[in-house]
Structure formats: structure tokens, C-alpha cells
Amino acid sequence: AAAGKPVRYLLSVGGAGAQLDLFERIIAHLVPRIEAGEAVLFVNVGDHDRVWRGLKERIPQLDEAVVHAEDFEGTARFAREALDGDVSGVHAFYDSDIFSAVYSTNLLMRASDLLITKPSELSFYPVPKLMIQRVGGHEAWGAVRAAEVGDGTYEMDDPRETCAFIDCVQEDRSTVVDMCAHIRTARDAGIYDGAYRTVELAAR
């Protein structure tokens, strides 16, 4: 994004696909940007293939999407090549194996500019995040923490606000750049090292 290339968004579908209407609003808002070559969209529906079918029924333009299904090795290869290569259009990812489905997001986020997600455990990942409306009440604190660290937004529970933030990112790439700067600061402070600390304590 900072180099003036299309902004890459990764939409991670969680909560058993309970936010279909919201996903539709976000994707439909992005479609003109994607068609103009200004944005790229990765959609990981996890193991919820019915969500992808539902989205295709509602958004005809998704018929042109490249679908990566039941191919974790292919997804890993795509994510690796996307780090330095150019990508365009919409790419959808699905895997009935829950491990592969979830871990695909871990791989894809490295090649993305902005992760769009509900404030789940992904709130604590070192990647720029746009927090959409939560599904469970307990998830609210994930967005609060991301906003405190500066690597994500607060929870945006109005689709209009979510789309406005996307427009902001499109027009001002420094929004993502600033989040990356906060990530580096948090990394230097050890904010993301919780798992390492847990293993160290367990090994004593």
C-alpha cells in the first residue's frame, strides 16, 4: 500500500459465518475499488463454504473470483508468492480441515495490508486490523486492546463507519503505515511475546 500499489484487504470469516449481511456490505463497497485496480481482496471463509455460496448469490461480481479450495499447500504457496509479487482481484479460501482453514489466515495476513475481522483472538495478532462488530460480548475487549496498542481500530459496529474507514485507507495510505509503526514499537516492548513467556514459565 505504501508503494502506491492496490491496498490488500484480508476478510476473515469467523463466528460460524454469522455476519453474512455485514460481509456483503463490506465486499460490495470494495468491488468498485477492486475493479478499478485500487484494491485486492482475500476472503478466508474458513470451513464455512456456505458463507461463500451465500456471498456469491448476493454479489454477482464474485463469480470472477479465484477460489482456493481444499488446497492448503496451494494457499501457503500463494501467500508466500504474494509477499513480493503482484496480486489482483478477489481470492477466496476454503478448507474443510479446521486447522488448515484457520491457519490460512495466519499465512495470508503477512501478504495483506489490513485484516478485517471481528475482535476475536485475531485482535492480538501483529497486523493492522479493522475491527468490525463483535459476535460475542466477551470479544469487545479485543478491540479495546488493539486500539490501546495502536495496531487496530476500535470496534466499528456501524457498517457505514466500516466502509468510511476503508475509504480513508484508500485515500490516505499513512493510516496503515502508522499501524505498522505501532506494531514495531509493541514488538520491541515484547507485547506480542505472550506465548513465548508462557512456554518459558511452563518449562521452569
Side-chain angles (χ1 to χ4, degrees), residues 65-138:
V66 178
V67 179
H68 308 257
E70 306 287 8
D71 183 15
F72 182 71
E73 289 186 5
T75 296
R77 183 169 57 253
F78 172 86
R80 187 167 56 250
E81 293 173 353
L83 286 173
D84 299 313
D86 291 330
V87 187
S88 62
V90 179
H91 293 259
F93 302 85
Y94 162 78
D95 203 308
S96 57
D97 179 89
I98 189 63
F99 174 84
S100 299
V102 172
Y103 202 78
S104 293
T105 292
N106 295 11
L107 300 176
L108 292 165
M109 68 173 61
R110 296 186 62 229
S112 305
D113 292 306
L114 189 67
L115 170 65
I116 303 175
T117 180
K118 68 186 182 71
S120 60
E121 65 278 0
L122 291 173
S123 302
F124 306 96
Y125 277 55
V127 60
K129 295 171 287 284
L130 165 53
M131 297 295 187
I132 58 177
Q133 186 174 20
R134 65 185 182 269
V135 174
H138 65 284

Side-chain angles (χ1 to χ4, degrees), residues 134-169:
R134 65 185 182 269
V135 174
H138 65 284
E139 295 177 331
W141 296 105
V144 170
R145 180 57 174 162
E148 288 176 343
V149 174
D151 62 5
T153 69
Y154 56 88
E155 180 185 353
M156 297 187 179
D157 56 7
D158 187 330
R160 293 172 298 179
E161 187 177 22
T162 301
C163 292
F165 186 82
I166 288 173
D167 290 340
C168 178
V169 170

Side-chain angles (χ1 to χ4, degrees), residues 36 59 61 85 91 108 163 183 201-202:
I59 308 173
Q61 294 92 331
H91 293 259
L108 292 165
C163 292
I183 288 171
L201 288 170

Side-chain angles (χ1 to χ4, degrees), residues 29-69:
H29 186 75
L30 274 170
V31 162
R33 299 279 192 177
I34 295 168
E35 293 179 336
E38 300 170 355
V40 175
L41 178 62
F42 304 149
V43 182
N44 183 15
V45 297
D47 60 340
H48 310 300
D49 62 329
R50 63 176 178 78
V51 173
W52 179 245
R53 292 196 304 270
L55 289 170
K56 286 185 64 177
E57 291 174 359
R58 299 180 181 204
I59 308 173
Q61 294 92 331
L62 292 182
D63 285 336
E64 305 297 322
V66 178
V67 179
H68 308 257

